[in-house]
Amino acid sequence: MGITRTGRLKRRETGGRRAQFRKKRKFELGRPAAMTKIGEKNIHSVRCRGGNLKFRALRLEAGNFSWGTEVCTRKVRVLDVTYNASNNELVRTKTLVKGAIILVDAHPFKEWYESHYGCKIGVKKGQSTASDDTTKKSSSVQRKMASRQKQRSIEGSLDHQFGSGRLLAKVTSRPGQSGRCDGVILEGAELAFYQKQMAKK
């Protein structure tokens, strides 16, 4: 028996059964879930209605993630699935779906931040935040760095994550439909909310 997307087989809200007035139709079909895992990239194309294509990601290892407050996007490795509001089973099986909270590699963002602002982040207490970069910089570049440092601010919880080399991120693409695992770095109130939810478990 095929998978169907119609609600005709479901009961009414009051509990009554609906009469079956027709059989299933091709345009009502559904397909098995992709259940995308973390691993070497493996994507299948699926022909859909109208000759369109969907890209079914079976395994993905990296994606484009955006750091909103710094307006910076980098391709980073996906390391682990840590939380899913809809189903704990998807965390246990490390399944990538839209809305999943995952851990990504922090190094590409850290490198960009240190070259952009000229100072270190994610350092432990007592260590200097001055950059190790010994290359000579022109006076105009030094002035630019100084003006950037005046305006820079990074929240403590994010700075702490940079120290561990991993960032919490949220998947905003649909890996089983688009074949990509893209998303946003969690920060601010959203980060605090998900950290609280994970602490509950």
Side-chain angles (χ1 to χ4, degrees):
M1 194 171 169
I3 301 168
T4 182
R5 291 181 300 111
T6 61
R8 289 185 297 101
L9 294 170
K10 296 186 84 169
R11 287 171 178 258
R12 295 192 178 91
E13 269 188 14
T14 53
R17 296 189 68 173
R18 288 198 179 96
Q20 187 187 352
F21 70 94
R22 70 171 186 203
K23 291 183 177 178
K24 292 177 181 179
R25 298 290 189 260
K26 176 83 165 78
F27 58 79
E28 294 169 346
L29 68 79
R31 296 184 185 89
M35 305 301 274
T36 310
K37 300 289 187 280
I38 299 168
E40 194 180 342
K41 189 174 169 184
N42 181 8
I43 299 169
H44 289 187
S45 60
V46 179
R47 187 202 179 272
C48 305
R49 190 168 163 85
N52 295 303
L53 288 177
K54 282 184 180 179
F55 299 97
R56 188 78 80 235
L58 304 179
R59 282 190 175 355
L60 287 173
E61 59 190 348
N64 288 328
F65 286 82
S66 173
W67 184 1
T69 53
E70 293 295 340
V71 196
C72 168
T73 303
R74 289 289 177 273
K75 185 177 181 179
V76 291
R77 280 189 311 122
V78 175
L79 304 174
D80 196 9
V81 179
T82 58
Y83 180 74
N84 193 310
S86 63
N87 190 351
N88 284 334
E89 193 73 3
L90 299 177
V91 179
R92 191 183 65 77
T93 55
K94 300 191 190 309
T95 305
L96 297 171
V97 292
K98 184 176 176 174
I101 305 303
I102 62 174
L103 278 175
V104 296
D105 183 21
H107 288 101
F109 290 108
K110 194 173 181 178
E111 280 174 19
W112 171 84
Y113 193 94
E114 289 173 3
S115 67
H116 186 73
Y117 288 104
C119 64
K120 284 181 169 182
I121 51 169
V123 293
K124 292 183 173 71
K125 276 185 181 176
Q127 291 181 330
S128 170
T129 57
S131 179
D132 294 338
D133 195 7
T134 54
T135 55
K136 245 186 172 181
K137 293 188 177 76
S138 66
S139 58
S140 64
V141 170
Q142 286 173 348
R143 283 198 303 275
K144 192 189 282 182
M145 290 286 189
S147 70
R148 281 176 183 169
Q149 283 196 18
K150 283 176 194 170
Q151 294 161 357
R152 89 177 180 95
S153 67
I154 184 166
E155 59 180 289
S157 52
L158 209 56
D159 196 24
H160 180 70
Q161 286 184 71
F162 274 110
S164 68
R166 295 169 162 217
L167 293 173
L168 283 170
K170 186 178 186 178
V171 179
T172 55
S173 67
R174 300 171 71 195
Q177 309 286 320
S178 63
R180 299 173 64 89
C181 181
D182 300 337
V184 293
I185 301 300
L186 291 178
E187 47 192 336
E190 196 175 18
L191 173 61
F193 171 78
Y194 283 113
Q195 283 177 329
K196 187 178 162 189
Q197 292 296 101
M198 282 184 265
K200 278 183 189 175
K201 283 201 290 178

